[in-house]
Amino acid sequence: MAQPGQSAAAALASSLESVLRSRGSANRVFEILELLQVDEEDVVLCAIRTCSRLFGALLERGELFVGQLPEEETPLADNYNAEDKYKIWMRHRYNSCVNCLVELMGHESFQVKELSLATLMKFVELEGKYPLVKAEWKGSFSFPRELLKLVVENLIPCEEDSSLLISRFQEYLEYDDIRYFVMKAVAENIGQVMQKTKEVPLPVYQQNVFSLISSISMPSQENEVVNFMVKQANQEEWKVSKLKEHKRAFERMWLGFLKHKLPTGLYKKVLVILHDSILPHLNEPTLMIDFLTVAYDIGGAISLLALNGLFVLIHQHNLEYPDFYKKLYSLLDPSIYHVKYRARFFHLADLFLSSSHLPAYLVAAFIKRLSRLALTAPPQALLMVIPFICNLFRRHPACKVLVHKPGGPEGNRGTERGLAALYQVFTKGPIHQLGKVKSHLRIPSWVLLTQIQSSLCVPCLSPGFHSPHGPSIKAPQSSPASCCSLPVSSSQAFPPSRGTEFLLGPSLMLGLPICSSALEAGSPV
């Protein structure tokens, strides 16, 4: 006994053959369209494949009406012959098929969604080759924008996560013309949807939009815009073949998306890719200034991530951000050592603080804050912050007064007091003289990671440094300049008798026992 799916497949094959063989059997197209709306998944899949073959063949044969389609309920004028009336009728059936496929993009089965999408994109390609719209003039360009717009609208629904279907759609974004008109359609759709909701955030919709637009890979040079799904007679004159037009559409799409309020999680995702996937492809990257400055003022992880984009604008587009370093300083709180973006933050902070034109009091503020926070930092974070602080000392020798020198000369007192006064202006709070900061720059008595030991560069200590909390440490014989230039990951050996246990007394300060000879060497860690 034949299964329902097998009998439906046989019936569909028979209907397809009849419709293509004789126009007298054209009414059997309804049998095919009806099966697009049944509940059985196998039958729906078979009906979609049949529609693909049927209307694909009709498009290639030119048996669909071309031009402004009359309303189906409107009686046709006498100036239409029998051929035109058949094509008009079949064109209406084609439109019904397209509407059914668009609805099936929201089907509960992913196989149905995927096949519906593939069939619609096949129709996009065929409509491009065999246009259903009359050319306005000889040599004019045509593209099935309306059909592609329907596809895009159903790729980004408001109530269902469609990220999996969007990942399937990414292969079509490799075509330059598809990518261009998708960007135009997304920008238009965002304006319509957000206007209807009166700017109320739509997390699911906005996530779908982000999944689609973040998968768009833009060309970087004019000669890369050569891959088109729909070929045109005068391809080089088509505006879609111009990189500038692609950038303009890309810019309008992203600005339209970012001008609306975003959920926090999505805010972070945008900022992660903004500096390398969005800004380089905008005609005017400075249009992102407002978005980035607002994000930078929010605080927390969002501010950390906004640093990347701000760095690009400051470095490449001469952005002037008022009180930038005060805001950067305010980001230094205990959580900075625990967020997953800390490596990126320290990399950018190192770039921002690398200029030799920065005032000493400003750099001193960062040294003190980082050193104080390092007292409670996890060991993994110390691997970054210790070399970071050491490099600040080497780049800004005026800050060496921060080094605790119990038996040092008294000549530095005036410098320390002056630096402390400037520092107080920057931090807006009470503070002791910068020379008396040993309570902020000490590390815990027990340090167990060999990598941290090597980054402290203990060989630069005196040959027999004595710790009040343990026996003296015998430093290996090496020159200060050579051992101080060891990278953090160096495997500099310590006395094997001590193993990985390394005692440091409270007078050994964070990053500072590199001693005077190490700081004088000047080579960055």
Side-chain angles (χ1 to χ4, degrees):
M1 182 176 179
Q3 298 295 325
Q6 295 176 348
S7 59
L12 285 167
S14 175
S15 300
L16 173 64
E17 184 180 357
S18 298
V19 173
L20 292 178
R21 184 177 62 247
S22 171
R23 292 185 177 181
S25 303
N27 281 332
R28 296 195 67 180
V29 72
F30 289 111
E31 300 175 7
I32 301 174
L33 296 178
E34 286 175 358
L35 294 180
L36 289 173
Q37 304 175 20
V38 300
D39 296 330
E40 292 81 4
E41 180 181 335
D42 293 342
V43 176
V44 173
L45 291 172
C46 190
I48 294 174
R49 296 187 188 98
T50 304
C51 286
S52 175
R53 291 194 292 270
L54 171 62
F55 291 106
L58 293 176
L59 280 164
E60 291 174 351
R61 291 180 182 182
E63 295 188 11
L64 299 182
F65 181 76
V66 176
Q68 184 66 35
L69 185 65
E71 295 291 335
E72 190 168 12
E73 295 79 10
T74 304
L76 296 178
D78 295 336
N79 57 337
Y80 290 107
N81 56 33
E83 176 82 7
D84 292 334
K85 291 179 180 180
Y86 168 78
K87 291 184 177 181
I88 291 172
W89 184 85
M90 191 58 78
R91 172 83 178 274
H92 281 295
R93 305 290 75 76
Y94 170 71
N95 289 347
S96 299
C97 173
V98 168
N99 292 333
C100 287
L101 292 174
V102 166
E103 291 180 6
L104 289 175
M105 286 181 64
H107 196 273
E108 59 184 11
S109 168
F110 179 73
Q111 284 185 309
V112 174
K113 292 180 182 179
E114 184 180 24
L115 187 57
S116 299
L117 174 63
T119 303
L120 286 168
M121 293 308 297
K122 175 185 175 181
F123 290 163
V124 168
E125 183 177 7
L126 289 173
E127 279 195 37
K129 187 180 294 186
Y130 309 101
L132 297 179
V133 179
K134 287 184 178 180
E136 296 180 2
W137 62 85
K138 186 177 181 180
S140 62
F141 307 106
S142 64
F143 188 89
R145 294 186 58 180
E146 295 302 319
L147 179 55
L148 184 60
K149 189 185 297 184
L150 283 175
V151 175
V152 171
E153 289 175 358
N154 287 270
L155 275 175
I156 47 178
C158 295
E159 300 177 354
E160 179 187 0
D161 181 12
S162 60
S163 55
L164 192 58
L165 188 61
I166 290 173
S167 65
R168 174 66 176 83
F169 182 72
Q170 288 179 12
E171 66 178 77
Y172 300 105
L173 294 175
E174 298 297 323
Y175 294 102
D176 295 311
D177 48 354
I178 295 294
R179 180 178 58 247
Y180 175 80
F181 288 109
V182 164
M183 292 189 292
K184 301 272 283 187
V186 170
E188 184 178 341
N189 183 261
I190 292 173
Q192 294 173 352
V193 172
M194 298 308 293
Q195 185 177 9
K196 289 179 182 177
T197 60
K198 299 180 179 179
E199 302 300 323
V200 176
L202 298 173
V204 177
Y205 171 75
Q206 290 172 307
Q207 178 60 53
N208 286 334
V209 173
F210 177 76
S211 298
L212 178 59
I213 64 180
S214 63
S215 63
I216 293 177
S217 178
M218 286 285 290
S220 56
Q221 297 180 357
E222 191 84 36
N223 57 11
E224 295 177 5
V225 186
V226 293
N227 187 21
F228 299 96
M229 175 181 280
V230 178
K231 308 297 182 182
Q232 304 289 341
N234 300 320
Q235 194 78 47
E236 65 281 355
E237 298 179 8
W238 196 22
K239 70 175 183 179
V240 180
S241 63
K242 309 296 182 184
L243 179 60
K244 185 177 180 180
E245 294 295 332
H246 282 259
K247 286 190 172 185
R248 184 175 299 166
F250 184 81
E251 181 177 270
R252 183 186 172 200
M253 175 186 69
W254 273 107
L255 291 176
F257 177 66
L258 296 179
K259 76 178 183 179
H260 304 288
K261 185 178 180 181
L262 301 176
T264 302
L266 196 54
Y267 223 131
K268 294 178 182 178
K269 292 180 181 178
V270 171
L271 290 170
V272 166
I273 66 170
L274 184 68
H275 67 287
D276 59 353
S277 299
I278 301 176
L279 289 178
H281 304 297
L282 300 181
N283 278 329
E284 296 183 44
T286 52
L287 293 174
M288 285 290 183
I289 289 176
D290 290 340
F291 173 77
L292 284 170
T293 52
V294 169
Y296 192 49
D297 291 335
I298 289 176
I302 291 180
S303 293
L304 299 184
L305 293 172
L307 275 176
N308 259 335
L310 281 175
F311 174 74
V312 173
L313 294 181
I314 291 173
H315 181 65
Q316 299 179 10
H317 302 282
N318 301 319
L319 168 67
E320 293 186 6
Y321 187 96
D323 297 330
F324 174 81
Y325 284 97
K326 287 186 178 181
K327 181 62 181 177
L328 183 63
Y329 180 84
S330 69
L331 295 179
L332 299 177
D333 56 35
S335 66
I336 198 69
Y337 292 129
H338 301 276
V339 295
K340 66 178 180 179
Y341 308 110
R342 67 175 181 233
R344 177 181 297 196
F345 170 78
F346 277 105
H347 170 69
L348 291 171
D350 185 65
L351 291 175
F352 285 126
L353 294 171
S354 62
S355 174
S356 59
H357 298 288
L358 293 176
Y361 70 87
L362 188 149
V363 179
F366 282 89
I367 291 175
K368 284 200 64 178
R369 176 65 71 91
L370 288 168
S371 302
R372 186 184 302 116
L373 294 176
L375 295 175
T376 57
Q380 295 84 354
L382 291 177
L383 293 176
M384 287 186 289
V385 72
I386 291 175
F388 186 89
I389 295 173
C390 294
N391 285 338
L392 289 179
F393 275 111
R394 291 189 171 111
R395 291 172 183 153
H396 306 276
C399 293
K400 289 182 183 179
V401 295
L402 288 169
V403 180
H404 181 47
K405 301 177 182 178
E410 297 294 328
N412 292 331
R413 299 303 181 190
T415 304
E416 293 170 7
R417 284 193 293 270
L419 195 54
L422 291 173
Y423 175 88
Q424 186 172 353
V425 172
F426 176 73
T427 58
K428 302 292 185 182
I431 189 171
H432 300 292
Q433 291 182 2
L434 292 190
K436 300 177 180 179
V437 296
K438 57 184 178 181
S439 61
H440 303 313
L441 300 182
R442 294 173 182 166
I443 65 171
S445 298
W446 295 85
V447 177
L448 301 180
L449 288 181
T450 306
Q451 295 97 322
I452 297 178
Q453 299 168 12
S454 62
S455 67
L456 283 172
C457 205
V458 176
C460 291
L461 297 173
S462 57
F465 171 74
H466 178 72
S467 167
H469 294 268
S472 61
I473 300 171
K474 300 297 183 181
Q477 298 298 321
S478 59
S479 62
S482 62
C483 62
C484 282
S485 61
L486 285 173
V488 173
S489 59
S490 172
S491 58
Q492 175 70 33
F494 285 86
S497 59
R498 302 296 298 167
T500 58
E501 181 182 84
F502 188 49
L503 297 177
L504 298 176
S507 62
L508 187 60
M509 297 169 295
L510 182 60
L512 302 182
I514 304 174
C515 76
S516 301
S517 61
L519 290 176
E520 300 295 337
S523 58
V525 175

